[in-house]
Amino acid sequence: MKILARGEKIRTEELKQKLSSIDIDWVVKDDTDFTGTNLRDFDIIFDLNFDDREGLINEYAVLEAKPVFVSAVKKQLAQCTLVYDRAVHCALFGLNALPTFINRSLAEVTALSDKDKEVLQQVMAQLQWDYKLVEDRVGMITPRVVLMIINEACYTVQEGTATMKDIDTSMKLGTNYPHGPFEWADKIGIKHVYEVLAAMYEDTKDERYKICSLLKTNYLKRESFYH
């Protein structure tokens, strides 16, 4: 099986780790330059940075029946295809491809077209990857929950109720989360946390997603919480 993976290194490495038990011929790209790359040569394409720079829909849409998985957390999959005013011929799927969410037992996936659901089932069986088909919406499911918790944790620190370290320790011990909110935010990346929350708030106008100024400040300074 030949797979093309495009995206920042932290995400492509996580994908390779997730699929490490499968015999795969990998080609990894960290940018949008596909010069000299024939996309039709690949069995599956993963674009893990797609909702940051979705202009590559023009390259993927013409690939007849080709399974293409793209990151679609900051934008709905349907929204990402708006820039392409012709028929999408590839089998296009949205993936929760935020860092730390790829190498999980269950993938969150959306499908642009109902007709491609059988293709999705076949491909995921080949990859030996369980999945949940979810509604095509900004934030999907798990990111909405985790990022809301991170945002609320920021408000708690900002109000002086507890320290970041105390909150991280309490969440890990009390809820058995793999990371505390601030540790998790650093692993996901402050940029991604902020931009997904901003997209969710814009989409829903729900006050639960209104970004805490502590998080916004770290985003603007490009600083992690434990810098």
Side-chain angles (χ1 to χ4, degrees):
M1 186 185 305
K2 191 172 184 179
I3 292 181
L4 171 67
R6 173 189 167 264
E8 58 186 329
K9 185 175 181 180
I10 188 173
R11 293 202 258 192
T12 56
E13 288 299 317
E14 190 177 346
L15 178 66
K16 290 173 70 176
Q17 185 177 8
K18 172 61 189 175
L19 302 179
S20 59
S21 64
I22 312 297
D23 186 14
I24 294 174
D25 179 11
W26 287 100
V27 173
V28 178
K29 298 276 186 177
D30 62 1
D31 54 35
T32 59
D33 184 10
F34 287 147
T35 303
T37 303
N38 186 349
L39 298 180
R40 288 180 172 82
D41 288 343
F42 297 93
D43 299 302
I44 305 171
I45 296 171
F46 285 91
D47 189 330
L48 308 178
N49 278 29
F50 186 79
D51 52 7
D52 288 305
R53 296 182 64 183
E54 73 273 14
L56 283 174
I57 186 61
N58 300 318
E59 303 281 348
Y60 303 141
V62 298
L63 303 174
E64 188 71 39
K66 182 79 67 180
V68 179
F69 291 82
V70 299
S71 177
V73 182
K74 298 176 185 178
K75 296 180 182 178
Q76 289 176 264
L77 187 60
Q79 181 186 2
C80 291
T81 62
L82 280 178
V83 296
Y84 190 74
D85 59 359
R86 285 161 284 176
V88 174
H89 296 287
C90 67
L92 189 64
F93 307 110
L95 178 70
N96 175 7
L98 292 175
T100 77
F101 290 99
I102 301 171
N103 189 12
R104 301 169 71 222
S105 59
L106 191 69
E108 289 178 49
V109 184
T110 64
L112 182 65
S113 174
D114 287 343
K115 67 179 176 60
D116 293 326
K117 290 181 179 178
E118 187 175 338
V119 175
L120 175 63
Q121 185 177 16
Q122 294 170 352
V123 170
M124 296 305 273
Q126 281 182 293
L127 296 175
Q128 300 175 22
W129 197 352
D130 291 334
Y131 71 97
K132 175 71 174 177
L133 193 62
V134 301
E135 184 181 350
D136 180 22
R137 63 175 187 171
V138 175
M140 292 191 165
I141 295 177
T142 310
R144 281 184 175 237
V145 175
V146 173
L147 301 192
M148 184 174 65
I149 290 172
I150 290 171
N151 199 41
E152 287 297 324
C154 288
Y155 278 116
T156 302
V157 169
Q158 185 171 275
E159 292 162 0
T161 307
T163 66
M164 290 190 294
K165 187 174 181 180
D166 287 342
I167 292 172
D168 278 345
T169 301
S170 298
M171 286 296 291
K172 286 186 289 187
L173 295 178
T175 65
N176 202 30
Y177 271 38
H179 317 288
F182 298 99
E183 293 172 336
W184 211 337
D186 284 352
K187 289 179 180 294
I188 295 169
I190 298 297
K191 175 181 182 293
H192 297 309
V193 172
Y194 178 89
E195 291 177 358
V196 176
L197 280 168
M200 290 193 298
Y201 183 71
E202 177 63 26
D203 184 56
T204 65
K205 303 303 180 186
D206 190 325
E207 290 296 309
R208 292 179 299 172
Y209 307 128
K210 192 170 184 179
I211 298 173
C212 175
S213 59
L214 173 63
L215 175 58
K216 182 177 181 180
T217 298
N218 280 59
Y219 168 75
L220 293 174
K221 290 183 176 181
R222 300 181 181 180
E223 291 179 349
S224 59
F225 286 115
Y226 291 113
H227 54 275

